[in-house]
Amino acid sequence: MTAGSAAPEGRPPGTPPAAAPGELPRRTPPALDARGLGKRYGRRWALADCTLTIPAGHVVGLVGPNGAGKTTLLNLATGMLEPTTGTVEVLGGAPASGADQLAKVGYVAQDTPVYAGLTVAEHLRLGAELNPGWDDELARGRIERLGLDQKLKAAKLSGGQRAQLALTLAIAKRPELLILDEPIARLDPLARREFLQLLMEATAEQELTVLMSSHLIADLERTCDYLIVLVAGRVVLAGQVDDLLASHHLLTGPRRDPATLPADQQVITASHVGRQSSLLVRTDKPVHDPAWTVANVDIEDLVLAYLSRAASA
Amino acid sequence: MIEFHLDTRSGVAPYLQLIHQVRQALRLGLLREGDRLPTVKEVAGGLAINPNTVLKAYRELEYEGLAAAKPGVGTFVTKTLTDDSIAAHAPLREELDEWLSRARAAGLDDESIEAIFRSTFRPQPQEDAV
């Protein structure tokens, strides 16, 4: 384990020390603050030069193809992995740096693991024993509403019920940040919806920041207000969903060389067929050129555009 | 009380859909002054959507003067829209009906009618064209 965050080579120049005296009092520290964060396995960089600040209070979707580094980033944030380069702070502290820090972060690993040999009741007891901030009333209330038989062993639960149990344990710990690694990938549509309902209800109730990896974009569309797209170990897009949607437009019109566009329009993807061009551009200004038919994009368009751009780069 | 639903294929931002549904319910008289809107938790949990989306919609409704939040109690409807409702605009609707019949008589199908409507309806930054 790391001895705090004082690793001298770990903090790149320019990173402010925590709570510098004399400065404006910091508001809530960011949920996650990564500077030049990287993780290498042998010769392969699972995550490279990741600089990213996620403000608290959002439901953050972490998207990317398999092997993009999503789990690596989440495991660095929970402190289960040590970075090869750079630093990461979670809620203003080094990941897993002490009991306080551990209590602030809830984590549900890939495929929502539970203890197969323990009953639902034993899971709740374990949660109560291990977590100082445990909210037993909340945990029991949720289990009751889910209709889970407390005497049942976890091995006997359905996939959806196991996921709900794992989520309940993580929520009842009353964390400030809840990290979920592909929590719904293997659930059927109904179980998936029920899981997200429980998650969104908890988010409304507890002022929770949620960081959730997934490749089910449709589900992220409803639940996330902050989006991070990770490709081949690098962050290619990050920001509030509303801002991202407002600043990206799909332009279709007569064939045109993207190089002739106004300087404020950054072309993300371009395709040309016959006499027509279709461009996905990023710009903070309105598009006035009457030659273009301007359409809005949704999260799926956006994610796919950035994935395909990264793939062809 | 109103029960929200969400059309994820519509391309309309979820918070706008919530606002539209409240306005629509007000116009149709399904919601009246004094009615309580569902809590943020109820909507977020029910639709599995981000609570910030619901907050944003409610804030917008407050800004429009259609709803007001009473801290600790909930968000309440403060205005009824039924007066300037569809009924009050019957003449406009009749004109549109007439126009639609003329368009169909001219041989336009639904898609073409929609295209005409959309291209005419578009707000006009067209002036600086060409």
Side-chain angles (χ1 to χ4, degrees), chain A residues 219-236:
Chain A
D219 290 324
L220 295 179
E221 207 146 30
R222 305 172 79 97
T223 53
C224 296
D225 57 359
Y226 202 99
L227 184 71
I228 300 166
V229 182
L230 207 60
V231 180
R234 290 179 187 274
V235 175
V236 296

Side-chain angles (χ1 to χ4, degrees), chain A residues 253-282:
Chain A
R255 192 166 181 133
R256 171 134 164 214
D257 179 0
T260 65
L261 289 176
D264 66 284
Q265 294 176 10
Q266 185 199 354
V267 177
I268 309 303
T269 56
S271 70
H272 310 278
V273 181
R275 284 185 284 276
Q276 187 186 306
S277 287
S278 306
L279 310 176
L280 194 125
V281 300
R282 179 174 198 168

Side-chain angles (χ1 to χ4, degrees), chain A residues 50-303:
Chain A
C50 169
T51 296
L52 180 70
T53 304
I54 305 175
H58 288 285
V59 179
V60 184
L62 178 61
V63 199
N66 291 328
K70 302 191 293 285
T71 299
T72 303
L73 177 58
L74 297 183
N75 282 340
L76 286 164
T78 54
M80 287 188 298
L81 283 178
E82 290 290 313
T84 310
T85 62
T87 58
V88 58
E89 277 192 2
V90 170
L91 300 165
S97 54
D100 279 359
Q101 184 72 22
L102 287 170
K104 283 197 275 188
V105 181
Y107 177 54
V108 178
Q110 215 154 6
D111 299 327
T112 57
V114 286
Y115 296 99
L118 297 187
T119 64
V120 172
E122 284 163 344
H123 275 90
L124 295 185
R125 220 159 66 225
L126 197 62
E129 297 271 328
L130 295 178
N131 294 288
W134 183 256
D135 188 334
D136 205 48
E137 199 184 316
L138 186 142
R140 285 179 197 286
R142 283 191 189 278
I143 293 298
E144 213 163 276
R145 264 177 52 204
L146 293 166
L148 293 188
D149 180 356
Q150 294 221 24
K151 293 190 287 296
L152 218 53
K153 289 211 161 132
K156 300 271 185 199
L157 299 175
S158 72
Q161 289 172 327
R162 269 205 304 277
Q164 296 278 27
L165 175 60
L167 179 60
T168 300
L169 294 174
I171 288 172
K173 162 181 180 160
R174 287 215 167 257
E176 291 174 37
L177 171 67
L178 181 57
I179 297 177
L180 305 159
D181 193 0
E182 295 277 0
I184 48 177
R186 300 200 180 196
L187 300 184
D188 63 64
L190 180 63
R192 204 181 285 160
R193 176 56 57 85
E194 284 169 352
F195 185 92
L196 292 176
Q197 283 174 324
L198 183 59
L199 180 62
M200 288 302 105
E201 199 186 290
T203 309
E205 210 167 23
Q206 302 186 22
E207 296 183 8
L208 199 58
T209 301
V210 178
L211 174 56
M212 168 168 64
S213 73
S214 179
H215 40 231
L216 297 164
I217 297 171
D219 290 324
L220 295 179
E221 207 146 30
R222 305 172 79 97
T223 53
C224 296
D225 57 359
Y226 202 99
L227 184 71
I228 300 166
V229 182
L230 207 60
V231 180
R234 290 179 187 274
V235 175
V236 296
L237 181 71
Q240 292 205 35
V241 168
D242 287 347
D243 297 342
L244 295 177
L245 294 181
S247 59
H248 288 80
H249 310 278
L250 187 63
L251 311 182
T252 47
R255 192 166 181 133
R256 171 134 164 214
D257 179 0
T260 65
L261 289 176
D264 66 284
Q265 294 176 10
Q266 185 199 354
V267 177
I268 309 303
T269 56
S271 70
H272 310 278
V273 181
R275 284 185 284 276
Q276 187 186 306
S277 287
S278 306
L279 310 176
L280 194 125
V281 300
R282 179 174 198 168
T283 175
D284 291 322
K285 300 196 181 111
V287 177
H288 280 316
D289 190 332
W292 295 121
T293 300
V294 184
N296 293 327
V297 294
D298 59 20
I299 294 188
E300 187 161 12
D301 299 329
L302 210 56
V303 169

